[in-house]
Amino acid sequence: MSFNLETFLFYSLAVLAVFSAIMMITRRSPINSALFLILNFFTTSGIYLLLRAQFIAIIQVLVYMGAIMVLFLFVIMLLNLGDEKSLKEVLGYKKITALLLSLLLMSLLGFTVFAGFYGKFDKISENAINIGTAEALGKELTTTYSLPFELASFLLIAGIIGAVVLAKKRFE
Amino acid sequence: MIESYIPIMLILFISVGFAVVNVNMSWILGPTRPNREKLSTYESGMEPVGTAREKFSVKYYMVSVLFILFDIEVVFLYPWAVSFMNFEPAKMVYSFISVIIFVVILFIGYFYVIKKGALKWD
């Protein structure tokens, strides 16, 4: 692996991403956790840019760092969370489900990393620079991948209805 | 390709560096003579009451979560709007119909929100 600007940027972003993720889950105060999550989103956006996915990188900044973080801060204020010591740790079915899901994720990530070592995904596709632009994305999304595109709207409507139903209980 | 982002990185480094240097310089160079009155929270000249971490109404959350969901809708439309004029005619009609279906489905959600009065603020 040659040492160029891109490799340097990737390694510094990756180190920063792992660092901010660890800081995020170990902070006592939920506000500090949220701020480290913002840093983590930022580094992820940089990594997207290195993968030639310009559109996703910008959307990561706009939607995740902007909108989703506002939501997280609202949730923190809504629940009036103090420091974490008040939350009890119990090994219930939630913890076990989370463990299984994270094992699944770890195996997927492990496969990707090791496949990279054996040369399967060793370099970025030549077309990547053309695919990552907003233009190419719009073209493929509304024609070739129109079914997933429509299904995304169902996912959004499920989110809308879920939010209204959950909050309505509190209104009344 | 990454070389074309060097100006952006430069702006980023300068702006972050400027902020960090200024905040820390004023902290280092400024005189610090604290007393109880100076360290108390500034609340428009009034005596501070309670904590800053008050419970908020769920309505704020409602507005922000609905904003995000429709924001994501716009995110989906943006790449389509950029590329639409460069389609060949057959694809143009197809993609137009698929976007219309997408928007109609979300409009149903919008009317649901209005009907339920989730955005009402009384």
Side-chain angles (χ1 to χ4, degrees), chain B residues 28-45:
Chain B
I28 291 164
L29 295 179
T32 40
R33 282 184 288 276
N35 62 37
R36 240 188 101 251
E37 285 303 310
K38 274 188 191 171
L39 290 177
S40 69
T41 313
Y42 180 70
E43 212 170 276
S44 307

Side-chain angles (χ1 to χ4, degrees), chain B:
Chain B
M1 167 265 173
I2 202 73
E3 282 71 27
S4 60
Y5 285 99
I6 285 176
I8 295 175
M9 285 193 291
L10 215 61
I11 287 183
L12 209 73
F13 278 122
I14 290 172
S15 56
V16 169
F18 185 72
V20 168
V21 166
N22 271 330
V23 168
N24 286 307
M25 283 287 267
S26 74
W27 185 65
I28 291 164
L29 295 179
T32 40
R33 282 184 288 276
N35 62 37
R36 240 188 101 251
E37 285 303 310
K38 274 188 191 171
L39 290 177
S40 69
T41 313
Y42 180 70
E43 212 170 276
S44 307
M46 310 290 281
E47 287 288 314
V49 181
T51 66
R53 303 272 175 83
E54 287 286 325
K55 274 199 182 184
F56 277 71
S57 169
V58 74
K59 288 170 197 152
Y60 292 96
Y61 177 73
M62 221 32 232
V63 171
S64 71
V65 76
L66 290 174
F67 161 71
I68 288 166
L69 286 162
F70 288 107
D71 190 31
I72 294 168
E73 180 195 352
V74 175
V75 165
F76 274 107
L77 293 184
Y78 173 65
W80 172 73
V82 172
S83 60
F84 185 66
M85 287 314 280
N86 303 328
F87 284 174
E88 48 263 48
K91 270 195 172 176
M92 216 177 211
V93 175
Y94 184 82
S95 81
F96 187 71
I97 291 168
S98 67
V99 168
I100 289 292
I101 295 169
F102 180 82
V103 171
V104 163
I105 291 168
L106 279 164
F107 247 88
I108 296 168
Y110 181 67
F111 282 120
Y112 175 81
V113 168
I114 297 291
K115 204 90 187 134
K116 281 275 171 181
L119 292 175
K120 263 207 198 102
W121 204 287
D122 37 36

Side-chain angles (χ1 to χ4, degrees), chain A residues 75-91:
Chain A
V75 170
I76 289 166
M77 289 194 291
L78 198 70
L79 299 178
N80 200 8
L81 289 177
D83 283 356
E84 210 195 343
K85 56 184 180 286
S86 57
L87 301 172
K88 238 196 312 184
E89 294 276 344
V90 234
L91 191 74

Side-chain angles (χ1 to χ4, degrees), chain A residues 69-131:
Chain A
M69 281 322 293
V70 170
L71 198 68
F72 276 19
L73 290 175
F74 263 128
V75 170
I76 289 166
M77 289 194 291
L78 198 70
L79 299 178
N80 200 8
L81 289 177
D83 283 356
E84 210 195 343
K85 56 184 180 286
S86 57
L87 301 172
K88 238 196 312 184
E89 294 276 344
V90 234
L91 191 74
Y93 72 97
K94 271 184 195 163
K95 282 276 163 62
I96 292 165
T97 322
L99 192 70
L100 287 176
L101 283 176
S102 40
L103 275 177
L104 199 69
L105 182 68
M106 280 305 283
S107 54
L108 185 67
L109 286 176
F111 169 74
T112 317
V113 169
F114 283 111
F117 279 139
Y118 293 113
K120 266 187 181 166
F121 308 125
D122 60 343
K123 66 173 168 44
I124 295 168
S125 155
E126 298 290 314
N127 283 328
I129 190 147
N130 299 322
I131 293 169

